Amino acid sequence: MPATPAAAEAFSSKSAAGPPTRPATERSGPWAPPPDQLRRVVPQPQRGWLRVTALLLVAGLAVLAGFQTYQINQLTDRLSEADQRLAQAQGADADRFDLVESRTADLERQVGAAFDPESIAAAALPSVFRVSAGRFTGTAFAVGEPDAGGTDLLTNYHVIEAGYLAGSRRVFLERDGERVEASIAAVDADSDVALLRTSESYAGLMAANDGVKAGQQIVVVGAPLGLVDTVTIGVVSALREADDGSGPVLQFDAPINAGNSGGPVINSSTQVVGIATAKARDAEGIGLAVPMQVACAAFDIC
């Protein structure tokens, strides 16, 4: 069929300008805009969630930092308490150590005060001599510290009495084969004590400071029957008044014999408590001594 002018125009238009466009009134199928009229829709980021996440992270870090600070403070407090406990423990240890030292010193003093006849004799013997006064002998012992002029010694008056009354003031001190001259410096006949003096220097025994008590253990050193360095031991039996009223007398039970007169009666501290004077006749274990304080008062040498 031959084309009509309208058809020819439409055909001509299609061939010249490309495919024909659908008329606006035609609704034969779905319509889509031309490609040059389409725009891509890109999703926008969710910034609100980022802020929330950041705030939560900051809050978590703050909580963690606070917890760590709390733990550090707790640890610091515990360390401080531990230091205080350690200091207190060290103080307590120091107190206990001082107490132990004090108790040790007390024990040492007690041990030192324990009765040891061997040690007492060893310390006393170098100070004790046989004294020879004419045809009489007895015992004498150095007392106190020697000085530039020599040494003081004590003995009984009745040991040197015969020579002294005869006008002699010279006696001799004997021990270890040595014979040393001494002089009679002073006497107290009523107390039965005499003070001797020698130019030689000897270590002296010290007078006891404490009072004498019954039961106290003692060592007696002397030269009975001329036997130098004789040691006997016993106890103080009593402190009595002499029958003749001459003063106090120390009674003890250590064996003594003629020649012990003038020898020291020594306590556990190696201090002289008396001067052996006599023994009871027809009896055993009854020795008598002049208290050391009597001699000290008579000659003012202690």
Side-chain angles (χ1 to χ4, degrees):
M1 174 184 281
T4 61
E9 182 178 355
F11 179 80
S12 175
S13 174
K14 177 180 179 181
S15 59
T21 60
R22 186 182 296 265
T25 57
E26 186 176 358
R27 301 287 186 183
S28 59
W31 179 84
D36 59 344
Q37 297 180 8
L38 294 177
R39 290 196 315 173
R40 185 180 300 272
V41 178
V42 179
Q44 297 298 319
Q46 303 297 323
R47 295 183 180 179
W49 284 106
L50 291 177
R51 293 193 186 94
V52 171
T53 301
L55 290 175
L56 290 176
L57 181 60
V58 170
L61 292 175
V63 171
L64 179 61
F67 180 70
Q68 290 179 338
T69 301
Y70 170 78
Q71 286 186 319
I72 292 173
N73 291 335
Q74 289 290 101
L75 181 59
T76 302
D77 292 342
R78 290 176 182 174
L79 290 175
S80 178
E81 292 175 357
D83 289 340
Q84 292 177 357
R85 288 194 296 269
L86 179 60
Q88 292 174 354
Q90 289 175 341
D93 288 342
D95 292 340
R96 284 193 291 270
F97 182 75
D98 292 340
L99 181 60
V100 169
E101 280 193 330
S102 177
R103 290 179 177 175
T104 301
D106 290 340
L107 289 175
E108 288 176 349
R109 284 192 292 269
Q110 293 175 13
V111 171
F115 188 65
D116 184 355
E118 183 178 357
S119 297
I120 296 169
L125 284 173
S127 302
V128 183
F129 304 84
R130 180 173 64 184
V131 58
S132 177
R135 58 190 182 89
F136 296 95
T137 63
T139 304
F141 62 94
V143 60
E145 296 294 334
D147 55 33
T151 306
D152 290 324
L153 301 98
L154 288 174
T155 188
N156 282 138
Y157 171 70
H158 73 258
V159 172
I160 53 89
E161 181 179 8
Y164 182 79
L165 292 178
S168 174
R169 298 295 181 266
R170 189 175 67 166
V171 297
F172 292 93
L173 306 175
E174 302 171 357
R175 67 165 298 111
D176 298 333
E178 183 182 12
R179 184 179 173 90
V180 176
E181 183 175 339
S183 61
I184 302 173
V187 298
D188 185 339
D190 292 337
S191 300
D192 195 17
V193 291
L195 178 66
L196 310 179
R197 181 75 175 174
T198 180
S199 59
E200 300 295 328
S201 179
Y202 298 107
L205 300 176
M206 305 303 294
N209 296 322
D210 300 331
V212 182
K213 297 180 180 179
Q216 184 176 2
Q217 293 178 297
I218 49 92
V219 170
V220 179
V221 182
L225 305 179
L227 301 173
V228 181
D229 293 346
T230 297
V231 177
T232 58
I233 63 174
V235 298
V236 174
S237 302
L239 185 63
R240 306 184 185 280
E241 289 295 326
D243 293 338
D244 58 3
S246 59
V249 174
L250 186 67
Q251 178 186 336
F252 59 91
D253 71 348
I256 60 172
N257 292 280
N260 271 114
S261 293
V265 179
I266 307 169
N267 65 15
S268 60
S269 299
T270 318
Q271 298 173 335
V272 182
V273 298
I275 303 172
T277 301
K279 60 177 290 188
R281 294 180 181 177
D282 302 324
E284 296 295 334
I286 300 180
L288 302 175
V290 177
M292 185 60 178
Q293 295 303 322
V294 172
C296 289
F299 303 123
D300 192 25
I301 60 171
C302 301

